[in-house]
Amino acid sequence: MAQPKESMDVDQSNDNNQNKKEENNSNKKSDEPEYELSVQLAMHSNPARCVVAIDDDTIVSGGRKDGEFILWKRMQQPSQTTNTENNDNDKDKEDKDKTKDDDNDEKMKDIKDTSAIKFDGSIIFTEDKFHPLVFCAVKHKIKAEPARIVSGGNDQRAIIWDIDGNIIQQLGAHSNSINSVDVTNDGQVLTGSYDSTAKIWGVDGNCVATLKGHQHGVEVCSLESGEIVTGTFKIFNIWSATGELIKKVEFAHDHMIRKVRRHPLGFLTCGNDGYVNLWSNKGESLRKVLAHPENGDIPSFVYGLYCMDNGDWLSCGEDGTVKIFSGDGYLQQQLRHPGAVWDISMLPNGDIVSACADGAIRVWSKDVTRQADAEAIKEYYNALTMAASAQGGGGGSDAVDPNQLEPAEVLNHPGKPGEFKMVNDPKKGPSVYQWDGATMQWQYIGEIMGKPGGGNKKQQPRSAGNKPMIDGIAYDYVTHIDINGDDVQVPLGFNKDDDPRQIARDFCVIHSLDLDLAKKIEDHLKPMQDPVARAARVERERIAASKQLKHIPSYIQCGYEIQSKLKLDAMKKKINELNAEILKDDDNKDNNYKQYGIEDSADLDDLFGILADQTVW
């Protein structure tokens, strides 16, 4: 019989800066510096839809409407001079050295004060505009000066252009908007469209293949190994470089696939189900991570992906965060934004660039010399708090501290790009406004809301077997966690054969809680565990894991050659003889060797089946 529901409260600090990072002491790389805001680039007149990193000093961003592409160039640091050449000749050497030291100290101070973290923006296309709605843009893989971009939009065209504003090529054979573009290693352009097809374009601009069999929009990606991946509603297809279908994988996601990106082991996919999934280049599932779960009224849409050379990856979504994951799927840090984040990229120096629905492009850096000053960072996170309060629901404006409100007259004066004001608006009540640098006006964001009222823990539904359920899944127990100290109860399911430590850690990651709280949740779950059931599950998982193949990139070329002929029949016969000898009961030998034997002969057959297929290895 299912046990009655239990509940616990987990206290959590509500400091403004506390939530900007995911402190993961157990999984985070030791002594690894964290990303912090470097600079905010506010020039777009509408939501920023895509961003492309050209080099350390150059960024291209695309606004949602009117073909608004902006070129951002890092402002050069002014040269510094010293006055050491004008020292009086009659001073002794010690005085000269002291003067030089003082001047050099002042010089270093000046350099630090004028650190080159600012960018200058300019509209690339002022007259010959295209893409009334911009959906996507990537850097062309062909090296050229100036650098080239491929973009797509609702005018049913993909455009190849350079950052000086020259249009190189137009690719137009789709019957609906182009929502995805990519470029192969040999320079062929891939396009995915809402006409449910993808196309391969030769370097001469001619369409060489049309890939069909999709629903709705199609995401495209060229793999390092040469294959092409197309993602659509719940499925993805793997194609040869010339457009022949190799494999179709159904139920890859529970909803629309929003992005496909290369990974050293194959490729990553993300979708509207909140997951980021890792696949081999053969379409085998390697890892699934719930990266952006649904949170209240905020859906679980994941919009962007970026993969680093070491296998770590970034994701962004409707929840207004950029999340940084290690290659094995552990959350390392999250970067909060005032709105949905549509796209992400990374400069060669390791700085992250994000495109946000508030129209701003933001650069984030681990290097303290490229981070904003402490006051600017504090102001940013205070603005985040105001924006979240204005956009969220809750207990009404009576919870707002009137001492934090400014009079409505402050809106008569200009602000700084992206600046927020909490204003006592005589018509709308306590409200948040943001200065729009493009229109030179204060834009209304929303009413400031208080926290939700307490005591809203819902009655848990139960299965036909009288087990408590969460989202249609039955558990042996369901406990409730107060994650913010405001009596908003979040259900947590637990089965008697679960690992309390893993369940607690996963819960903290999903809900962006500090992992030092996981120990408290773990201690709460331990009495619910059945040691016998847990041991049986561990053994089942051990047996299953022992039969799994380890995935490594199969497209990496090695510098050796097999000269001899492969004699699989003789090899199989000899290995079967050795295996039978290991498994044979014999009082004169150490029976511990039996653990190395393979009892199921089908496993050996599978092994030799793989060896026989030389296209795999």
Side-chain angles (χ1 to χ4, degrees), residues 296-588:
D297 294 333
I298 301 174
S300 56
F301 297 171
V302 188
Y303 294 139
L305 288 172
Y306 183 89
C307 185
M308 306 177 212
D309 292 339
N310 65 357
D312 292 356
W313 45 271
L314 315 172
S315 62
C316 63
E318 182 67 27
D319 61 3
T321 65
V322 171
K323 293 190 176 182
I324 306 164
F325 288 86
S326 63
D328 50 3
Y330 289 112
L331 180 64
Q332 302 296 297
Q333 191 183 350
Q334 63 176 352
L335 310 173
R336 293 193 297 142
H337 294 67
V341 184
W342 280 98
D343 197 15
I344 42 176
S345 188
M346 180 173 279
L347 301 179
N349 61 18
D351 289 0
I352 295 171
V353 189
S354 57
C356 185
D358 69 346
I361 302 299
R362 291 178 175 86
V363 181
W364 309 78
S365 182
K366 287 184 177 181
D367 190 331
V368 295
T369 64
R370 294 197 299 272
Q371 292 176 354
D373 59 70
E375 186 62 29
I377 292 173
K378 181 180 179 181
E379 180 180 343
Y380 174 69
Y381 288 109
N382 286 339
L384 282 183
T385 301
M386 286 190 285
S389 178
Q391 294 165 354
S397 58
D398 56 344
V400 178
D401 182 358
N403 295 324
Q404 296 179 337
L405 302 178
E406 298 185 65
E409 287 73 21
V410 299
L411 302 179
N412 296 328
H413 305 284
K416 295 182 292 185
E419 181 182 1
F420 287 89
K421 292 281 189 184
M422 292 196 337
V423 175
N424 188 7
D425 191 314
K427 296 181 179 180
K428 298 184 175 71
S431 303
V432 171
Y433 285 81
Q434 184 180 22
W435 179 257
D436 186 337
T439 63
M440 300 298 288
Q441 293 179 340
W442 289 100
Q443 299 293 335
Y444 175 72
I445 302 298
E447 180 185 359
I448 303 173
M449 310 299 288
K451 286 187 176 181
N456 59 347
K457 182 170 72 176
K458 297 180 180 179
Q459 182 69 25
Q460 206 66 40
R462 306 188 79 83
S463 67
N466 201 32
K467 285 190 173 184
M469 300 175 66
I470 302 175
D471 296 331
I473 301 175
Y475 295 90
D476 292 327
Y477 308 96
V478 169
T479 184
H480 288 81
I481 312 295
D482 179 3
I483 64 174
N484 287 319
D486 52 12
D487 202 28
V488 176
Q489 303 289 326
V490 177
L492 169 61
F494 185 83
N495 291 315
K496 58 186 178 181
D497 60 354
D498 281 336
D499 178 3
R501 177 173 298 178
Q502 186 67 35
I503 295 296
R505 191 203 69 81
D506 290 346
F507 183 84
C508 287
V509 169
I510 288 172
H511 294 284
S512 300
L513 303 174
D514 292 335
L515 286 187
D516 55 1
L517 300 175
K519 183 64 170 65
K520 190 172 182 179
I521 300 175
E522 177 188 346
D523 292 341
H524 175 70
L525 296 175
K526 281 181 177 178
M528 306 177 195
Q529 185 190 60
D530 182 338
V532 176
R534 178 62 188 164
R537 175 174 170 179
V538 169
E539 179 62 16
R540 291 195 306 271
E541 292 175 349
R542 184 194 68 78
I543 294 173
S546 68
K547 296 183 177 182
Q548 288 183 344
L549 295 174
K550 299 295 183 182
H551 294 278
I552 60 174
S554 62
Y555 55 84
I556 293 180
Q557 296 181 355
C558 302
Y560 60 85
E561 184 176 331
I562 299 176
Q563 301 282 347
S564 60
K565 183 179 179 181
L566 184 62
K567 301 178 180 179
L568 280 180
D569 291 340
M571 183 188 299
K572 183 176 181 180
K573 179 180 178 182
K574 186 63 177 178
I575 289 179
N576 279 325
E577 291 175 356
L578 292 173
N579 188 57
E581 182 66 26
I582 291 173
L583 295 175
K584 184 174 65 176
D585 291 327
D586 190 342
D587 295 337
N588 296 323

Side-chain angles (χ1 to χ4, degrees), residues 45-60:
S45 59
N46 51 81
R49 184 61 188 259
C50 50
V51 63
V52 181
I54 304 300
D55 54 45
D56 285 342
D57 301 322
T58 312
I59 300 168
V60 171

Side-chain angles (χ1 to χ4, degrees), residues 145-428:
E145 289 294 339
R148 295 182 179 182
I149 302 291
V150 185
S151 62
N154 71 333
D155 52 358
Q156 305 175 13
R157 295 182 297 167
I159 309 293
I160 303 174
W161 46 275
D162 66 36
I163 60 175
D164 283 350
N166 302 306
I167 294 179
I168 310 298
Q169 210 169 53
Q170 300 188 43
L171 312 175
H174 283 285
S175 60
N176 207 330
S177 302
I178 292 177
N179 59 278
S180 178
V181 290
D182 198 15
V183 184
T184 66
N185 290 341
D186 58 3
Q188 290 187 315
V189 172
L190 308 177
T191 56
S193 170
Y194 282 112
D195 65 9
S196 300
T197 70
K199 293 183 183 292
I200 305 174
W201 303 83
V203 293
D204 58 359
N206 292 318
C207 178
V208 298
T210 298
L211 314 180
K212 301 180 179 180
H214 311 91
Q215 295 183 56
H216 312 299
V218 184
E219 289 293 321
V220 293
C221 177
S222 167
L223 301 187
E224 184 69 35
S225 48
E227 298 90 350
I228 295 168
V229 180
T230 57
T232 184
F233 186 69
K234 294 188 177 182
I235 72 168
F236 66 77
N237 295 322
I238 300 178
W239 311 77
S240 71
T242 54
E244 289 80 25
L245 181 63
I246 298 174
K247 186 174 185 178
K248 177 179 180 178
V249 175
E250 297 182 330
F251 307 110
H253 284 267
D254 289 335
H255 209 282
M256 195 72 195
I257 292 177
R258 299 299 294 255
K259 198 73 72 178
V260 185
R261 285 289 181 262
R262 288 183 181 185
H263 186 278
L265 294 180
F267 59 95
L268 292 165
T269 61
C270 67
N272 285 352
D273 57 0
Y275 277 86
V276 174
N277 297 340
L278 172 62
W279 311 85
S280 75
N281 63 331
K282 303 297 182 185
E284 300 156 306
S285 176
L286 305 183
R287 187 175 300 279
K288 295 186 177 183
V289 177
L290 181 56
H292 297 260
E294 183 176 342
N295 185 7
D297 294 333
I298 301 174
S300 56
F301 297 171
V302 188
Y303 294 139
L305 288 172
Y306 183 89
C307 185
M308 306 177 212
D309 292 339
N310 65 357
D312 292 356
W313 45 271
L314 315 172
S315 62
C316 63
E318 182 67 27
D319 61 3
T321 65
V322 171
K323 293 190 176 182
I324 306 164
F325 288 86
S326 63
D328 50 3
Y330 289 112
L331 180 64
Q332 302 296 297
Q333 191 183 350
Q334 63 176 352
L335 310 173
R336 293 193 297 142
H337 294 67
V341 184
W342 280 98
D343 197 15
I344 42 176
S345 188
M346 180 173 279
L347 301 179
N349 61 18
D351 289 0
I352 295 171
V353 189
S354 57
C356 185
D358 69 346
I361 302 299
R362 291 178 175 86
V363 181
W364 309 78
S365 182
K366 287 184 177 181
D367 190 331
V368 295
T369 64
R370 294 197 299 272
Q371 292 176 354
D373 59 70
E375 186 62 29
I377 292 173
K378 181 180 179 181
E379 180 180 343
Y380 174 69
Y381 288 109
N382 286 339
L384 282 183
T385 301
M386 286 190 285
S389 178
Q391 294 165 354
S397 58
D398 56 344
V400 178
D401 182 358
N403 295 324
Q404 296 179 337
L405 302 178
E406 298 185 65
E409 287 73 21
V410 299
L411 302 179
N412 296 328
H413 305 284
K416 295 182 292 185
E419 181 182 1
F420 287 89
K421 292 281 189 184
M422 292 196 337
V423 175
N424 188 7
D425 191 314
K427 296 181 179 180
K428 298 184 175 71

